[in-house]
C-alpha cells in the first residue's frame, strides 16, 4: 500500500485525489492511512466486503469526472496517467482503458527485462512514450488498473458484489461496458508494475475454490457474453449510438483487502486510430 501511494505521488503530475478503502484489515493499514492526513481520502470498513464492495464504496466517494481503479499491489510509473488519459480522450466511444504490466492474465502481460523492482522505473521511463499506434481494442481488461469517465460508471452501475473476494467481477463490469456500445482499449504505450495477486494468494487453498465459484457465477449470469453483446449491439435502437444504462445487480460480498481509487479531472483530446485485437482472450485466475 505505502509503495503504491508513494509511486502515485512521485509519478502523477495532473491534479488528482487518492481514495483508499480499507476492508477491515488488521495489518496496520488503517493507522498508516490516518498518518497520511490530507494526502489521501480514506474509508475504513468495519467488515471485509470484498474487492467489488470496496470499489463501490470508493466510487461513491470520488469527486472527479474521471476515475482510476488501482490495485494496492501496483507501482505506477512516469507518464502513466498522461498516456492513458490521452487514449481515453481520443474517442468518446472508448469506455475503459488499461495499461500493460509484468504480471497479469490475458493480453496485458508483456515480457520485461528487469528482475529486480529497483530496475523497473528506468525500463518504464523508456517504455512509456506516447504513441497512439500502440493503442488496441480488446474484449477484456483486467481490473488491476482501469481508467474511465464518471459518466460511464453512472451508466453501467456498481460492481456486482455477488462475486466472492476477487476475480471475474472485472470481467462482468467489462461485459456491461461493452453492452453500452463502448470499447475496451489496451494502452500499450503505458506500463505499470504489478506484484500480483497479493490478497488472493493469502487465501491459500481456498484460492481455487473462490475462483471456480466466481467463474460459475459469471457463467450462470451471462452464459455466452459475446452472444449477448452481439445481439444487443445489432438491435435497431443500438445502431449508431451509445445505449442507455445497463446496470448490474449486487449482492453481499466477502473478504478482500484494501483497494485504491483515484479521481481526476477530464481533458480534451483529438481522435486517433486504434488497432483491433483479433484475439478473444481466455479468462484466467491471475490478477
Amino acid at each position: 500500500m505505502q509503495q503504491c501511494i508513494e509511486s502515485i505521488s512521485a509519478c502523477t503530475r495532473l491534479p488528482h485525489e487518492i481514495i483508499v478503502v480499507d476492508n477491515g484489515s488488521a495489518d496496520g493499514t488503517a493507522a498508516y492511512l490516518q498518518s497520511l492526513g490530507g494526502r489521501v481520502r480514506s474509508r475504513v470498513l468495519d467488515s471485509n466486503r470484498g474487492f467489488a464492495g470496496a470499489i463501490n464504496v470508493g466510487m461513491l466517494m470520488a469527486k472527479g469526472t474521471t476515475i482510476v481503479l488501482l490495485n494496492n499491489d501496483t507501482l505506477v510509473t512516469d507518464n502513466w496517467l498522461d498516456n492513458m488519459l490521452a487514449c481515453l480522450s481520443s474517442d468518446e466511444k472508448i469506455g475503459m482503458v488499461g495499461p500493460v504490466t509484468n504480471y497479469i492474465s490475458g493480453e496485458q502481460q508483456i515480457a520485461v527485462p528487469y528482475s529486480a523492482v529497483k530496475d523497473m522505473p528506468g525500463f518504464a521511463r523508456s517504455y512509456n512514450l506516447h504513441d497512439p499506434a500502440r493503442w488496441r481494442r480488446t474484449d477484456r481488461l483486467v481490473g488491476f488498473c482501469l481508467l474511465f469517465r464518471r459518466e460511464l460508471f453512472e451508466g453501467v452501475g456498481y460492481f456486482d458484489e455477488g462475486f466472492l473476494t476477487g476475480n471475474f467481477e472485472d470481467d462482468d463490469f467489462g461485459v456491461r461496458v461493452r453492452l453500452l456500445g463502448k470499447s475496451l482499449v489496451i494502452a500499450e504505450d503505458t506500463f505499470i508494475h504489478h506484484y500480483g495477486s497479493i490478497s488472493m494468494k493469502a487465501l491459500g487453498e481456498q484460492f481455487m475454490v473462490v475462483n471456480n465459484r466466481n467463474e460459475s457465477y459469471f457463467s450462470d449470469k451471462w452464459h455466452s457474453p459475446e452472444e449477448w453483446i452481439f445481439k444487443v449491439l445489432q438491435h435497431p435502437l443500438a445502431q449508431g449510438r451509445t445505449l442507455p444504462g445497463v446496470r448490474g445487480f449486487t449482492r453481499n460480498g466477502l473478504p478482500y483487502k484494501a483497494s485504491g481509487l483515484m479521481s481526476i479531472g477530464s481533458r480534451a483530446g483529438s481522435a486517433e486510430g486504434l488497432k483491433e485485437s483479433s484475439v478473444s482472450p481466455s479468462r484466467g485466475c491471475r490478477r
Side-chain angles (χ1 to χ4, degrees):
M1 170 66 72
Q2 183 174 350
Q3 290 184 57
C4 180
I5 291 175
E6 289 176 352
S7 74
I8 294 171
S9 299
C11 299
T12 311
R13 296 171 294 183
L14 297 170
H16 61 276
E17 62 175 356
I18 301 174
I19 299 168
V20 180
V21 178
D22 177 51
N23 255 329
S25 67
D27 59 0
T29 297
Y32 166 67
L33 293 173
Q34 187 174 13
S35 73
L36 295 177
R39 289 180 57 193
V40 303
R41 297 176 59 217
S42 62
R43 172 78 180 275
V44 178
L45 302 180
D46 293 333
S47 60
N48 202 322
R49 290 180 51 183
F51 178 81
I55 289 298
N56 289 341
V57 170
M59 288 198 291
L60 274 173
M61 295 171 63
K63 298 177 180 179
T65 56
T66 312
I67 294 171
V68 178
L69 306 183
L70 187 67
N71 276 18
N72 63 352
D73 59 352
T74 58
L75 300 177
V76 301
T77 53
D78 287 349
N79 297 323
W80 75 287
L81 188 54
D82 300 79
N83 287 356
M84 290 177 66
L85 273 172
C87 179
L88 181 68
S89 302
S90 70
D91 188 344
E92 65 178 12
K93 293 182 180 178
I94 297 175
M96 291 197 301
V97 176
V100 295
T101 190
N102 56 296
Y103 185 91
I104 207 67
S105 64
E107 296 180 287
Q108 290 172 264
Q109 179 170 311
I110 64 169
V112 296
Y114 66 88
S115 55
V117 174
K118 66 180 179 64
D119 298 322
M120 182 275 294
F123 161 71
R125 194 171 300 114
S126 61
Y127 185 93
N128 289 359
L129 302 178
H130 173 68
D131 184 1
R134 295 163 67 191
W135 301 342
R136 177 164 55 89
R137 287 189 174 90
T138 185
D139 293 334
R140 178 187 183 235
L141 289 173
V142 185
F144 75 101
C145 179
L146 295 170
L147 170 70
F148 52 89
R149 303 174 186 88
R150 171 180 288 278
E151 62 204 52
L152 181 85
F153 160 55
E154 293 171 348
V156 174
Y158 295 97
F159 274 68
D160 186 345
E161 296 183 30
F163 292 95
L164 305 183
T165 311
N167 284 347
F168 287 94
E169 70 289 300
D170 47 359
D171 293 296
D172 174 80
F173 196 77
V175 169
R176 288 153 53 199
V177 169
R178 294 174 63 201
L179 283 170
L180 291 179
K182 297 290 189 177
S183 298
L184 311 181
V185 175
I186 301 174
E188 293 185 339
D189 60 353
T190 308
F191 174 89
I192 71 171
H193 181 79
H194 186 213
Y195 285 105
S197 304
I198 302 300
S199 296
M200 296 302 295
K201 289 175 181 175
L203 291 173
E205 295 180 355
Q206 288 299 305
F207 173 79
M208 288 307 302
V209 174
V210 170
N211 187 79
N212 291 341
R213 185 270 178 195
N214 285 353
E215 184 175 14
S216 296
Y217 182 84
F218 179 89
S219 298
D220 289 344
K221 180 176 180 178
W222 294 109
H223 298 287
S224 177
E226 297 299 325
E227 183 177 349
W228 275 110
I229 292 166
F230 177 79
K231 287 181 177 179
V232 169
L233 298 185
Q234 291 302 306
H235 193 280
L237 290 177
Q239 299 304 305
R241 69 184 184 90
T242 299
L243 295 173
V246 181
R247 294 182 177 272
F249 56 86
T250 61
R251 300 177 184 173
N252 292 329
L254 288 178
Y256 200 84
K257 287 195 67 177
S259 296
L261 180 145
M262 289 180 59
S263 176
I264 56 184
S266 62
R267 70 178 191 181
S270 58
E272 303 181 72
L274 292 171
K275 293 186 291 185
E276 295 284 352
S277 171
S278 60
V279 179
S280 180
S282 60
R283 292 175 169 79
C285 60
R286 189 168 46 153
R287 67 173 313 158

